[in-house]
Every structure is written in structure tokens, then in C-alpha cells.
Amino acid sequence: MAIVTWPVRFERVSNTPLTVLDGAHNQHGVDALAATLARRFKRRTVHILFGALADKAYPEMLHTLADLPNVDLHVVSFQNPGSRTVLDPSEAAAQVTGHTVTVHQDWQTAYQTVKALAKQNDMILFTGSLYFVSEVRANL
């Protein structure tokens, strides 16, 4: 029996704390991710670090994630992939009404902040653009 893995598709990169990369870069992917979190991780606090390109429908994706009761949502920036524009974290967070969203100008600072706050059973999840999670993967 062969085992197939697909990088940055719910890829575990650390166990302490549990840290996962998932390239949910569109609404369909975020819906599947949210269903997995609701089904398999509902008893954990999930600290989500979300970075996306500015031309994506990220407000809807952020609302889907923020609607999960156990999510601590952080919007971050990352390196500009060539000519593509990365979302402005402050503008993105302002579009998520009815939820608390923390803003960070870079994912590295966000990660250090969240790691310091995370409890033993918490999860840290990087998601959004494939450019973003690939950058994180290359640097972790």
C-alpha cells in the first residue's frame, strides 16, 4: 500500500505545539478546512494565521474561519510573490465584522506571539495563499 502526501495540505510541521500548514486559498478550500476543524479539532483552541493575495475573495474566507467558535484569528502579511500584491492585514481585518481579528505586519512576529500564548492542547494553523504557506514551510 502506497502512502501519498501533498505538501501544505493539512501538513503537520510540529507537535509542540501542534502546528499545521494548509493552503486553503479559495472559498472551497476554506470550507473544507473549516469542516475539518469543526469535526476533528473542536475541543482545541485553533490559532489561525491567515495570509492571502489581495485579488482573492479573502473577506468571505476570513468570515468562514472567524465563525468557528474555537478560532483565534490573526491576519498577517508575507513576502510579495513577484508582481502579485499581498493583502493589507489591517484592511482585511476591518472587513470581518462581529469578530475579533488580530493584525500583524509579518507572519514571523505573529507566530512568535501565538506560540507564547498557546496552551499545550492548542493548534497553530497557517493558511491562505499557497505562496504564504510555502514561504512559511521554507522558513520553519
Side-chain angles (χ1 to χ4, degrees):
M1 175 181 194
I3 297 176
V4 176
T5 60
W6 192 350
V8 302
R9 294 296 185 191
F10 218 82
E11 178 183 4
R12 182 183 303 225
V13 294
S14 177
N15 289 320
T16 311
L18 175 59
T19 305
V20 174
L21 306 176
D22 192 278
H25 63 281
N26 58 32
Q27 189 61 48
H28 179 73
V30 168
D31 288 343
L33 175 60
T36 297
L37 295 175
R39 186 177 64 254
R40 294 183 53 208
F41 298 96
K42 62 185 169 192
R43 292 187 179 14
R44 294 180 185 243
T45 296
V46 181
H47 305 277
I48 296 180
L49 283 70
F50 180 92
L53 297 174
D55 62 353
K56 296 295 181 177
Y58 62 81
E60 294 85 359
M61 293 187 274
L62 288 170
H63 272 284
T64 299
L65 296 170
D67 283 343
L68 294 168
N70 59 326
V71 161
D72 170 35
L73 186 57
H74 300 257
V75 180
V76 302
S77 190
F78 59 101
Q79 290 294 316
N80 185 338
S83 63
R84 308 286 301 271
T85 303
V86 174
L87 64 72
D88 177 285
S90 296
E91 288 179 20
Q95 295 185 48
V96 183
T97 56
H99 298 284
T100 300
V101 179
T102 306
V103 172
H104 304 272
Q105 291 309 309
D106 62 80
W107 67 265
Q108 295 91 339
T109 302
Y111 183 47
Q112 293 307 316
T113 300
V114 168
K115 265 180 46 175
L117 296 173
K119 294 181 175 71
Q120 183 176 357
N121 195 41
D122 290 0
M123 173 195 283
I124 298 173
L125 172 66
F126 291 90
T127 193
S129 168
L130 292 171
Y131 291 108
F132 169 54
V133 292
S134 295
E135 177 182 319
V136 172
R137 187 173 193 263
N139 287 281
L140 286 183

